[in-house]
Amino acid sequence: MNGPLAAAWWGLVAGSALLMGALVGYFVKLPQRLIAGVMAFGSGVLISALSFELMDEAYKHGGILPVALGFLAGALTYTIANRVVSVYGAKHRKRSGNQQPSEEEDASSGTAIAIGALLDGIPESMVIGLSLLAGGAVSTVAVTAIFLSNLPEGLSSSAGMKKAGRSKLYVLGLWGGIMVISGMAAVAGYTLFRDASPQVVAATTAVAAGAILAMLVDTMIPEAFESAHDYAGLITVMGFLAAFALSKAGG
């Protein structure tokens, strides 16, 4: 399987968890605390992958300065973009309760939620394509971590969308579309930086990592703490440990 095709495949695999989670969240009524617990676990998994699969590897290839600048740039870019979509009704796009506004309450919220979901998913998918540039093979830990974190994202968000009165076509169409775009973003991560220097690839990886970490704190962790409360930290640690063990087993 050549590079672009491999990137597309693994991007779709990781993105498919969004649609799987959305199907469960829309059709199965799950306890709020269970959804929050899964969200906390997924947050821990992603934090571990950021630390050991993304930032550590980026530092080895690019050094501290480009990685630090890229990391901060990614977080800043995400924060600004997230603030914009939040103003238009997407602030609670990953909440599974009654926080999401309906179209009647905010006419622009549907579009904002769709854009916000893309904003959350594209950096993760680009990381998959970038990981292929390092050694010619995809980082299985990164793909697994993104898959495990995407599952609760789709689950929680679709449950909230249903409570806000959004149609089945809207919810499943949104996450199905983002799954396809995830594959495209992974291909973009591979093709756009295939001939770039290791320092540029490292800095770009750090940009994506910064955006992902900012996304976790702004959108996933609040949902985890909302219902899991004092157990959210413990469950997050369990997710971190699971991904850490997978990283070391793969090494």
Side-chain angles (χ1 to χ4, degrees):
M1 192 181 294
N2 63 26
L5 190 58
W9 167 251
W10 290 115
L12 286 171
V13 167
S16 67
L18 292 167
L19 183 57
M20 292 168 57
L23 285 166
V24 174
Y26 196 88
F27 292 107
V28 181
K29 185 173 177 58
L30 297 175
Q32 291 289 120
R33 300 194 80 175
L34 177 59
I35 296 175
V38 175
M39 188 71 81
F41 188 87
S43 297
V45 166
L46 261 187
I47 292 170
S48 180
L50 288 174
S51 302
F52 301 104
E53 287 293 309
L54 301 185
M55 289 298 289
D56 190 51
E57 288 300 313
Y59 171 76
K60 289 176 182 176
H61 291 93
I64 188 62
L65 185 58
V67 169
L69 292 176
F71 193 63
L72 291 172
L76 179 61
T77 301
Y78 176 86
T79 300
I80 293 172
N82 184 57
R83 176 58 185 160
V84 172
V85 297
S86 294
V87 168
Y88 289 96
K91 181 178 182 180
H92 299 299
R93 60 187 176 275
K94 291 186 183 172
R95 307 303 289 271
S96 58
N98 296 308
Q99 299 94 338
Q100 293 188 27
S102 65
E103 287 290 340
E104 289 74 19
E105 294 170 326
D106 189 338
S108 64
S109 61
T111 301
I113 287 172
I115 295 172
L118 285 173
L119 176 66
D120 299 336
I122 287 177
E124 296 175 345
S125 301
M126 288 194 70
V127 161
I128 293 174
L130 290 168
S131 74
L132 281 163
L133 298 174
V138 74
S139 168
T140 55
V141 176
V143 172
T144 303
I146 293 169
F147 183 94
L148 290 176
S149 66
N150 279 344
L151 193 63
E153 284 187 51
L155 193 157
S156 179
S157 183
S158 66
M161 289 177 184
K162 183 178 181 180
K163 290 178 180 178
R166 302 193 187 282
S167 69
K168 177 171 58 178
L169 179 62
Y170 174 86
V171 175
L172 300 184
L174 171 64
W175 292 114
I178 292 175
M179 180 186 75
V180 173
I181 292 173
S182 294
M184 296 168 60
V187 173
Y190 179 85
T191 56
L192 292 176
F193 299 97
R194 179 168 42 189
D195 300 319
S197 68
Q199 290 78 17
V200 171
V201 173
T204 305
T205 301
V207 168
I212 294 170
L213 184 56
M215 178 273 292
L216 280 172
V217 177
D218 285 348
T219 64
M220 288 184 69
I221 291 176
E223 169 64 13
F225 184 76
E226 178 73 21
S227 297
H229 300 304
D230 294 340
Y231 296 102
L234 175 62
I235 299 170
T236 302
V237 168
M238 291 168 63
F240 182 98
L241 182 59
F244 176 75
L246 182 62
S247 175
K248 295 308 176 185

